[in-house]
Amino acid sequence: MTTKLYYSAPNLTEWETHITRSMERDGGYFVMLEETAFYPHGGGQPCDTGTIQGIRVLDVVLEDGDIWHQVERLPEEGKVACQLDWERRFDHMQQHSGQHLLSAVCLELLGARTESFHLGQEYATIDVNCSELTPAQLSAIEQEVNRQIYSNRSIKGYVVTNEQLKDIPLVKMPKVTENIRIVEIEGIEYNACGGTHVGRTGEIGMIKCLKWEKQKGLARIHFKCGVRALQDFNESLQILDVLSAKFNTGRKDILTRFEKWEQEHKQLKAQVDILQEENTSYQVAELLSAVQGNVLAHIFEQKTFQELQQMAAKLTSEHDLLVLLATTAENKIILTHNGTQSVACGAYFKEHLGAFQGKGGGSNQSAQAAFSSREDLLNFFETAQRQFIQG
């Protein structure tokens, strides 16, 4: 049985030990150690990583009571030097201890018990047994949980028997009946837990509740603790500083300045829409003067395809024409009519696009296509225009 140093010496980062077993399985290499500080996956907490004899530890798993360390390759020596990735471990300890404290405060303030916990790479979440959370409630939870951090209460873990468990006011009874590990936050709660934790609440640093959302009838709270919370604050501050510089205003006035900018943007957009509509009407009149028979065909150099679609829609709504418009800015083309023409647009594209490396399709009354090059677009346009005019 491997000695679990992550319980007896949670701050240990380097140690020497012996490999007791090794194996290859499914293309991976695994070793079992006489003593390990590498925590395996479990209880919502990811595993530790680091090195064994300089070889990277990829994963740590608990199988039938045995702790297996997946490594990049098997060490050649039986006695090995191990090194733990402390930054990762301490992050997990901060998040996990923060979760216990946050769950205890949710239970105290809301009467809402935590049903699940997930520790992700970016943030952690708990699902608490209530359907709604107001902004005031979330703020109160955050204030209280940080007040408990400042109290710097002790956090300790110990193993009890099933008999001793009867005298401990647990939040939730464990499924196991022997070697039950209790994590106690002084004066706050007792919880059955196999994870790693900091020694005092002060080491959590701080807890920031980011948001909450509904999740299958529960309230899921997203949060960050310690270093993660500090990094999140610094990143948010950098964004604020950039916005402050762009708007040439102080941080506190950014929202006001942004609202003013938004109003100005809406006014400018409305003016642009009017000008575009006027320009489109002018261009439509110019295009109509160049209609050949019942075919209106034109190539634009700068227009977007969306502008072409709008122009084609205006033309076909007001005139019984076959409209063929193309833009070399995006190498795209549209063929459309209002149902008064005999051309089946989609069928025509399907039959002829392949010869010009074009891709597209559509219905009887409207079809569109894109080309890999300007040359292919122009060749297709000229061929189609000639065929439609000649009938």
Side-chain angles (χ1 to χ4, degrees):
M1 180 70 70
T2 302
T3 301
K4 300 173 182 177
L5 298 175
Y6 49 81
Y7 286 153
S8 59
N11 294 327
L12 182 68
T13 59
E14 296 182 10
W15 71 102
E16 289 188 350
T17 188
H18 291 85
I19 294 176
T20 56
R21 292 173 60 187
S22 62
M23 68 173 178
E24 295 183 31
R25 184 177 66 187
D26 299 329
Y29 303 97
F30 298 83
V31 296
M32 188 183 298
L33 303 177
E34 187 176 346
E35 300 169 306
T36 186
F38 293 112
Y39 179 79
H41 290 284
Q45 180 176 323
C47 71
D48 289 324
T49 57
T51 60
I52 297 175
Q53 204 64 12
I55 302 169
R56 196 156 63 98
V57 176
L58 305 176
D59 198 6
V60 187
V61 295
L62 181 65
E63 296 182 357
D64 300 324
D66 295 327
I67 299 175
W68 287 100
H69 308 73
Q70 184 179 2
V71 289
E72 288 184 325
R73 57 183 174 82
L74 292 177
E76 297 178 1
E77 304 86 354
K79 185 178 181 180
V80 290
C82 303
Q83 186 168 12
L84 183 77
D85 181 345
W86 175 249
E87 184 177 338
R88 176 182 169 92
R89 157 66 74 78
F90 187 63
D91 170 61
H92 291 169
M93 292 166 72
Q94 283 189 316
Q95 309 311 313
H96 204 158
S97 296
Q99 176 263 311
H100 276 229
L101 194 56
L102 182 61
S103 292
V105 169
C106 286
L107 185 61
E108 177 187 356
L109 297 186
L110 306 178
R113 192 175 71 177
T114 295
E115 301 297 340
S116 64
F117 161 57
H118 175 70
L119 175 51
Q121 292 184 349
E122 296 295 325
Y123 53 83
T125 62
I126 56 171
D127 291 346
V128 296
N129 193 12
C130 65
S131 57
E132 294 284 341
L133 272 179
T134 66
Q137 286 175 320
L138 192 61
S139 178
I141 290 168
E142 183 179 273
Q143 292 294 324
E144 176 60 20
V145 76
N146 281 289
R147 189 179 73 82
Q148 294 298 344
I149 288 175
Y150 308 148
S151 298
N152 203 26
R153 297 175 181 272
S154 69
I155 302 176
K156 56 185 178 181
Y158 47 86
V159 176
V160 299
T161 63
N162 196 37
E163 186 66 26
Q164 293 171 316
L165 197 63
K166 298 176 182 178
D167 300 322
I168 300 176
L170 286 181
V171 175
K172 183 179 180 180
M173 292 300 294
K175 296 178 181 179
V176 296
T177 56
E178 57 182 18
N179 295 322
I180 304 164
R181 186 168 183 271
I182 303 299
V183 172
E184 176 188 346
I185 303 179
E186 177 191 4
I188 299 294
E189 73 159 14
Y190 297 83
N191 212 321
C193 176
T196 57
H197 293 270
V198 295
R200 306 192 72 87
T201 59
E203 294 180 72
I204 298 170
M206 66 174 290
I207 295 180
K208 179 60 186 174
C209 295
L210 305 172
K211 64 176 183 178
W212 82 275
E213 61 186 1
K214 290 184 178 181
Q215 183 65 27
K216 297 180 180 179
L218 304 174
R220 174 167 292 177
I221 300 175
H222 296 243
F223 66 96
K224 292 185 178 184
C225 302
V227 175
R228 290 194 189 191
L230 179 60
Q231 289 174 341
D232 188 79
F233 174 79
N234 287 335
E235 290 169 2
S236 298
L237 200 59
Q238 288 175 357
I239 294 171
L240 280 175
D241 286 341
V242 170
L243 291 173
S244 180
K246 284 186 177 295
F247 285 112
N248 192 27
T249 188
R251 294 174 189 161
K252 293 182 179 180
D253 299 322
I254 287 177
L255 288 180
T256 301
R257 184 66 186 86
F258 185 81
E259 288 173 359
K260 183 179 179 182
W261 173 86
E262 202 171 29
Q263 289 299 321
E264 293 172 349
H265 178 74
K266 287 180 180 178
Q267 292 173 1
L268 287 173
K269 187 179 183 304
Q271 293 173 4
V272 169
D273 288 343
I274 293 172
L275 290 174
Q276 284 183 336
E277 181 66 26
E278 291 176 352
N279 185 51
T280 298
S281 297
Y282 171 79
Q283 289 182 320
V284 164
E286 189 175 15
L287 290 173
L288 288 170
S289 66
V291 170
Q292 293 180 282
N294 63 344
V295 178
L296 189 160
H298 191 78
I299 299 174
F300 294 92
E301 297 290 334
Q302 300 297 329
K303 283 191 178 296
T304 65
F305 187 66
Q306 184 178 8
E307 290 176 312
L308 257 62
Q309 290 174 308
Q310 293 171 350
M311 184 175 290
K314 182 176 180 61
L315 283 164
T316 55
S317 67
E318 299 175 356
H319 304 277
D320 297 336
L321 295 170
L322 179 63
V323 176
L324 179 67
L325 301 178
T327 172
T328 56
E330 298 181 20
N331 290 331
K332 290 183 178 180
I333 195 168
I334 184 170
L335 176 65
T336 184
H337 59 80
N338 60 10
T340 59
Q341 307 302 311
S342 60
V343 175
C345 301
Y348 181 86
F349 273 23
K350 184 177 181 180
E351 181 180 355
H352 297 283
L353 280 176
F356 299 89
Q357 288 73 53
K359 292 183 179 180
S363 64
N364 285 339
Q365 291 184 212
S366 181
Q368 59 192 49
F371 299 83
S372 58
S373 71
R374 174 190 175 96
E375 183 181 1
D376 288 330
L377 169 68
L378 295 177
N379 288 337
F380 178 83
F381 179 89
E382 291 171 2
T383 300
Q385 181 185 26
R386 185 168 56 253
Q387 288 179 355
F388 295 146
I389 292 174
Q390 292 176 354

